[in-house]
Amino acid sequence: MSKTALVTGATAGIGEATAIEFAKLGYNLILTGRRKDRLDKFKSQLESEYKVSVSIHAFDIRERRQVEDFCRNEIGDQQIDVLVNNAGLASGLAPLHAGDIEDWEKMIDTNVKGLLYITRELAPRMVDAGSGHIINVGSIAGVEVYPNGNVYCATKHAVRAISEGLRKELYDKGIRVTNIAPGLVETEFSIVRFHGDKSRADNVYQGMSPLTAEDIADCIAFVATRPPHVNIADMLILPSDQGSSTQVKRS
Ligand code: NDP
Ligand code: 8X3
C-alpha cells in the first residue's frame, strides 16, 4: 500500500519541492498552506504527472482551531507515515531594541506554535501505529544566532529543541524524528522577510550560489527513505559558498 506524507507550507519553496520529491517516490500527499489557488493548481499538476492521490487543505497554521479541525475532521483517522513540518517564515531583520512586535508574533506563532499544534494532533496517531517519521524544517538559525536575526533565530532554536525532545520521547515507539537545518536557500523566504521588497531579497543571494528548494527536498527525501533502523537526527546543509550564518563568499 502507498505511504502518505503530509507537508505543511507546500504552496512554495522547500515545501513545494518536497511534495514533488515524495510524489516521485509514489507517496500519496496531504498538502497545506494558506494560498488555496496555488494548492488547487499543484494538486492537478501532481496527480496528472505522478499518478498519486493528493488532498489539499488551505488554512492558517497559526490558528489552533483551524489546525484541530483539519486534523480531526478533514483528514479523519488516516495514517500519516511522514509529517514534514515545513511551514514557516522570517519577518523583518532588525535589532531587537528596534524590532516590530507584529513580526515577532508572526514568527513565533507560525514557526513554533503552528508546528506544535499540528504535531500534538498527529504524533499520537504515529504512537498508536508504532511507526512514523516527523521531519522538522529548522535552520542554521537554530544552530547559531546572527545579528538582527534574534527572534527568527530563537524560533529555529526552539524547532531544534522540539525535534530533540520529540526524538528522545518517541525513539522507543517506532517513530523517527529529524531536524533539517538549511543555510541560504533561494525561495520566497527573503521576499517574505523583507515584506515584498524583491530587490532587497535578491541582494541576499547576490554574487553567490545559494541552495535551491530542490536541494533541501532531496535531503528530506533521503532521510525519509533510509532503512527503518536508520534515523538521521540532524542535518545541516549549507551552500558551498557559506561558512556560517555570517560568512558568505561572494564574487
Ligand atoms: P517560502 O516563503 O518559499 O515558503 C514558505 C511556506 O510556508 C509557504 O508554503 C507558505 O504558504 C507557508 N506558510 C507560511 N506561513 C504560514 C501560515 N501562517 N500558515 C500556513 N502556511 C504558512 O519559504 P521557504 O520554502 O524557504 O521556507 C520553508 C521553511 O524553510 C521555513 O520554515 C523556513 O524558516 C525554513 N528555512 C528556509 C531557509 C531559506 O533560506 N529559504 C533556510 C532555512 C530554513 P502560504 O503563504 O500559502 O500560507
Ligand atoms: C533561513 C536562513 O540564514 O536567513 O533560515 O537564517 S537564514
Side-chain angles (χ1 to χ4, degrees), residues 208-240:
M208 55 91 61
S209 297
L211 297 168
T212 64
E214 291 72 25
D215 294 325
I216 303 306
D218 196 24
C219 295
I220 292 172
F222 177 79
V223 304
T225 53
R226 290 315 83 209
H229 68 287
V230 179
N231 178 35
I232 298 179
D234 216 326
M235 193 187 256
L236 176 67
I237 311 124
L238 301 178
S240 304

Side-chain angles (χ1 to χ4, degrees), residues 94-217:
L96 196 130
H97 67 270
D100 179 333
I101 293 176
E102 283 188 11
D103 279 340
W104 299 352
E105 285 178 343
K106 266 188 222 163
M107 293 187 277
I108 293 166
D109 290 352
T110 311
N111 302 356
V112 183
K113 291 169 71 180
L115 181 148
L116 286 170
Y117 295 155
I118 200 158
T119 306
R120 178 65 185 86
E121 287 295 313
L122 299 178
R125 302 174 189 223
M126 294 184 175
V127 172
D128 288 346
S131 71
H133 196 159
I134 299 172
I135 301 176
N136 292 330
V137 180
S139 170
I140 188 175
V143 179
E144 47 176 293
V145 178
Y146 53 87
N148 302 327
N150 42 65
V151 175
Y152 179 69
C153 295
T155 67
K156 291 301 182 177
H157 273 67
V159 171
R160 192 153 69 104
I162 291 164
S163 302
E164 187 178 335
L166 281 169
R167 189 179 76 245
K168 291 174 178 173
E169 291 156 6
L170 296 176
Y171 80 94
D172 58 353
K173 296 174 177 57
I175 300 165
R176 298 186 284 185
V177 181
T178 300
N179 184 64
I180 294 280
L184 292 166
V185 190
E186 191 167 12
T187 59
E188 294 175 13
F189 176 85
S190 290
I191 300 172
V192 172
R193 166 169 258 174
F194 298 124
H195 307 118
D197 184 338
K198 174 87 168 62
S199 66
R200 199 170 166 204
D202 288 345
N203 274 341
V204 174
Y205 314 106
Q206 196 68 43
M208 55 91 61
S209 297
L211 297 168
T212 64
E214 291 72 25
D215 294 325
I216 303 306

